[in-house]
Amino acid sequence: MATNIYFLNSFDTCVDDHLAGQVSVHPGQRLLEGPHRVVVRADVKKVIEQGKVTLLCGGGSGHEPAFAGYVGEGLLSASVSGPVFTSPPPMSISAAINAICTPESKGGCLLLLLNYTGDRLNFGLSLENCRSQWPKVSLDSVIIGEDCASTSNTRSAGRRGLCGSILVMKIAGAMAEEGRSLAEITTVCRDVLKCICTIGLSLSGCTVPGVGPLFSLEAGEMELGLGLHGEAGVKRLKFSSAKDAVTVMLDHMFNPDNCNGFRARSGEEVACIINNLGGLTTIELNTIAKETIKYLDAPTTAPSWPRSYLPVGTTDRHTPTTVNVQTNTFTEKPKMTNTSAVKHVARHELLKRVCESLLKNEEYLNQLDTVCGDGDCGSTLARGAQAVIERLNTVQQCHLAVDNWTNLAEDLAEIAKNCMGGTSGAIYCLFFTAAARELEQQSSDVTGAGWCKALGAGLETIQRYSGANPGDRTMVDPLHSAYEMFGKTLKEKDLVSSFRLAVEAAESGAEATKSMSAQAGRASYVSSELLDRPDPGAVGVALWLRAILDNL
C-alpha cells in the first residue's frame, strides 16, 4: 500500500520526537521520564502546594497542538499522548496523574477525556486505580462529546469529542487557576457541554503515518461528519465553494430534526471555533472564517507569532531535563521451572504461533479498519503480539508464567494494558483479567468446562464495560458465537472437537459482521453504506482462535 512521505525520523518514534521538540521549544513544560509521553507544567508542584485543582487531558496523537500544546498556566496541568490515533495505556495515564496529584493533594484532580471508547476505558481504569490507592483525594472525570454528525437517537457510542474540547479545557483551566473547587469545575464543564455543537468536513481522507489514507473521495466530493481520527462521515456531497460548504455544515447543525443538533435561541450570544482538523492551509481557514462570521467580535491587529511558554522569572529558552515520577511498570516473571517441561514447551510454542499469526495479518486487519476505524487495528494487535514474543524469549529464559494458566492470563492482561494501547488494549486487558479470575478457581489441569467459563467471564466483562452486545458489529460477536457453541457441544464431544466447532462459529460470527449495523465503537459513526467488510476487531478474534486450534 502506498503511503505519504513525512519529515519524520521513523513512524515508531514520531510521537516521542514531537514531544521532545515541544518541551525544547517551550521550557515552561517538562517531559515525564520514562516511556509515558506525558508533558507537565514546570511549576506543577507549586500548583499542588497551593491546593488548586490539577487538570489532565489526553488521547491519541495526531491532533496537534492537542493535547501537549495546551499545557500551561490557565489550562492543563498535564497531557498524556498515545500513539497516532491510539489511546494512551493506563500505565502512562496513571503516571500523569501521579505527576500532578499526590495522596496529600487538597484540590484534587480532574480528568478531561474525549468520548472515544479507548480513552473512556483506559482513563477509567487509571482513575479507579488511583481512587483505590488515594481514598481521601478528590478525583473526577468529565467525558467530552459534542459533535452532531449522527442524527440518529438509536443506541450508539454517543457524541464524539472534537474541537469543542478546547473550550471545555480553557474554562476548566481558568476556574482551576482561580482556586475554584473540583465540584464547581466539574459541574460547569458538564453544563458547558450541553451548549456545544460541532461538525467536521473534509475534501480528502485522513492519512496515518505508515498506513495511508483511511478513506478515499472522488474528485469534487466532500465528506460531512468525519471523526477526529479521520473516520468516514455520514454523508458525501459535491463540493462547489467554501460558502456552500459552510452552509451545508450549518444546515446540518441547526436542523431541528437532528436530535444532536444546536439549540441556540434567537438573540443568544454564540462563540464560534473554526478548527482545521490538521488539514487546512491558513488561506483556506481564513476563507471559512469569512464565510462563517462576517464580522468577528474579538479585535485583533495581526496574526499571532508562536511564542515560548516560559516559567515565571525565566527570560531565555533552554531545553529542560525530564521529570522523574515513581510509577508501576510491568514486572517480569522468573524463568520457567523444569517441572513438566514438555507441557511448558508446547504452551510456549502455541503462544508463539498465535502471535506470529497476528503479526502476519497486521496489514490485512489495518486495511479492514481503514473505513470503519482509524486504520490501526492490525498494528495494535501486532504490538501486543510482538511484546508477547519478546517476553517468551526462549524456553530456558521465558519471562511469561507459561507454567500457570492463571498467571499467564494476568501477564497477557498486563501486556495488553501497557503495550497495545488504544481501545483494543483496554478491552483485551479486561478480557484476560476476568479470565484469570475464573481460571484461578480451576485446578492446574483446566477442564473444557473451565475454559468455557473463562471465555464467558472475559466476554461478560467486555460487554459490561464497553456497552457492546451481540449484533453490534464488534469483537463481541465472534466471542459470543464461540462461547455459545463451546458450551453447547462440550457435553457431547471431546475438548478439541468442541473447540473446533467454537472456532468455526467465531469465524462465521466475524464474517457476519459485514452485514450488521454498527451500534458501538467508531464504526457506529460511519455511514452503513460504507460498511461492506467484516469488522476488523471481530476478524482479529477469529484469527487468534483459529491459530490456537491449528497449533493444539
Side-chain angles (χ1 to χ4, degrees):
M1 180 190 300
T3 60
N4 289 2
I5 299 175
Y6 301 90
F7 284 105
L8 302 174
N9 294 320
S10 76
F11 298 143
D12 293 335
T13 65
C14 65
V15 176
D16 301 288
D17 292 342
H18 150 63
L19 293 176
Q22 169 81 23
V23 299
S24 295
V25 176
H26 303 288
Q29 299 178 332
R30 302 286 294 276
L31 193 60
L32 204 63
E33 191 173 282
H36 300 302
R37 294 168 174 161
V38 173
V39 173
V40 300
R41 286 177 57 172
D43 60 350
V44 71
K45 289 185 178 179
K46 179 181 177 182
V47 177
I48 298 172
E49 291 170 357
Q50 290 174 339
K52 294 180 179 180
V53 175
T54 54
L55 305 175
L56 171 66
C57 189
S61 298
H63 314 302
E64 289 69 34
F67 294 94
Y70 299 125
V71 173
E73 183 178 346
L75 254 164
L76 300 178
S77 309
S79 70
V80 55
S81 301
V84 174
F85 293 174
T86 302
S87 177
M91 176 178 66
S92 296
I93 299 170
S94 295
I97 297 173
N98 288 335
I100 64 173
C101 192
T102 70
E104 292 78 33
S105 291
K106 296 179 180 178
C109 181
L110 177 62
L111 276 59
L112 301 168
L113 55 143
L114 276 60
N115 186 28
Y116 294 95
T117 307
D119 291 334
R120 293 185 65 154
L121 290 172
N122 286 328
F123 276 82
L125 286 170
S126 301
L127 181 61
E128 292 305 316
N129 180 55
C130 288
R131 278 175 171 163
S132 65
Q133 293 181 4
W134 302 339
K136 296 183 179 180
V137 178
S138 298
L139 301 166
D140 209 339
S141 65
V142 172
I143 299 171
I144 302 172
E146 83 291 337
D147 87 310
C148 66
S150 175
T151 60
S152 173
N153 58 6
T154 59
R155 186 179 64 83
S156 68
R159 302 172 75 187
R160 298 168 292 191
L162 291 177
C163 68
S165 59
I166 299 171
L167 279 176
V168 178
M169 287 188 288
K170 184 64 178 69
I171 292 169
M175 293 184 69
E177 206 64 47
E178 260 186 1
R180 305 289 283 274
S181 70
L182 177 63
E184 288 178 302
I185 298 172
T186 302
T187 299
V188 169
C189 286
R190 289 172 179 160
D191 287 342
V192 167
L193 281 169
K194 298 174 184 177
C195 308
I196 301 178
C197 186
T198 56
I199 188 72
L201 188 70
S202 178
L203 300 178
S204 63
C206 178
T207 59
V208 177
V211 176
L214 300 185
F215 63 88
S216 58
L217 291 171
E218 298 294 332
E221 279 189 327
M222 60 183 182
E223 185 94 9
L224 180 69
L226 80 162
L228 190 64
H229 306 90
E231 307 97 323
V234 294
K235 189 185 298 183
R236 289 186 179 180
L237 303 162
K238 288 295 182 182
F239 174 80
S240 59
S241 67
K243 181 177 181 179
D244 290 342
V246 169
T247 299
V248 167
M249 288 189 286
L250 292 176
D251 286 348
H252 186 89
M253 295 172 71
F254 284 91
N255 184 352
D257 296 328
N258 184 350
C259 62
N260 294 318
F262 203 42
R263 297 292 181 265
R265 294 185 294 269
S266 177
E268 288 185 326
E269 293 185 349
V270 177
C272 180
I273 291 182
I274 304 169
N275 174 256
N276 74 358
L277 270 180
L280 294 185
T281 64
T282 303
I283 289 177
E284 291 173 294
L285 199 61
N286 286 337
T287 301
I288 294 294
K290 168 182 172 290
E291 297 301 337
T292 305
I293 302 177
K294 300 295 183 181
Y295 303 99
L296 298 177
D297 293 331
T300 183
T301 57
S304 62
W305 181 262
R307 59 181 178 83
S308 294
Y309 161 52
L310 299 174
V312 175
T314 303
T315 58
D316 199 7
R317 190 208 69 77
H318 297 283
T319 300
T321 58
T322 57
V323 178
N324 180 275
V325 173
Q326 293 293 326
T327 58
N328 294 323
T329 57
F330 182 87
T331 303
E332 290 187 340
K333 299 289 181 180
K335 66 180 182 180
M336 296 185 303
T337 63
N338 291 323
T339 57
S340 303
V342 173
K343 182 182 290 185
H344 295 163
V345 171
R347 294 182 190 180
H348 188 280
E349 185 66 16
L350 173 64
L351 277 170
K352 182 179 178 182
R353 297 298 182 191
V354 171
C355 291
E356 288 174 345
S357 174
L358 291 175
L359 290 170
K360 178 182 177 182
N361 286 279
E362 177 181 359
E363 185 172 344
Y364 168 58
L365 292 172
N366 281 344
Q367 289 175 349
L368 289 179
D369 198 32
T370 54
V371 171
C372 64
D374 51 17
D376 71 342
C377 177
S379 298
T380 302
L381 290 173
R383 277 198 299 272
Q386 187 61 46
V388 172
I389 288 177
E390 290 173 0
R391 286 163 173 77
L392 281 171
N393 198 12
T394 65
V395 174
Q396 292 75 28
Q397 293 184 325
C398 180
H399 301 300
L400 289 179
V402 179
D403 57 319
N404 183 287
W405 289 120
T406 299
N407 292 343
L408 177 59
E410 291 173 344
D411 282 353
L412 294 177
E414 283 294 307
I415 289 174
K417 179 174 69 173
N418 296 328
C419 300
M420 287 176 64
T423 305
S424 296
I427 287 177
Y428 274 104
C429 174
L430 291 167
F431 176 80
F432 285 120
T433 300
R437 285 198 295 266
E438 187 59 47
L439 289 171
E440 194 173 14
Q441 309 303 315
Q442 311 295 321
S443 62
S444 58
D445 189 13
V446 183
T447 64
W451 284 117
C452 189
K453 288 181 179 179
L455 177 62
L459 172 62
E460 188 276 330
T461 302
I462 290 175
Q463 289 185 245
R464 175 154 41 92
Y465 280 95
S466 70
N469 292 314
D472 283 353
R473 198 183 190 276
T474 68
M475 63 182 287
V476 164
D477 293 298
L479 283 174
H480 181 263
S481 298
Y483 172 66
E484 290 285 301
M485 181 60 72
F486 201 25
K488 186 170 73 173
T489 58
L490 267 175
K491 295 179 181 179
E492 305 170 358
K493 300 182 180 295
D494 62 86
L495 175 59
V496 175
S497 298
S498 180
F499 185 62
R500 177 174 288 106
L501 292 173
V503 172
E504 291 172 354
E507 290 172 333
S508 297
E511 182 65 21
T513 58
K514 70 180 181 182
S515 58
M516 293 179 183
S517 174
Q519 298 296 324
R522 291 178 183 168
S524 64
Y525 301 107
V526 179
S527 171
S528 58
E529 297 176 358
L530 301 176
L531 300 178
D532 57 357
R533 293 186 290 178
D535 177 75
V539 173
V541 169
L543 284 172
W544 59 257
L545 283 172
R546 168 58 67 178
I548 293 174
L549 176 64
D550 290 346
N551 290 280
L552 286 176

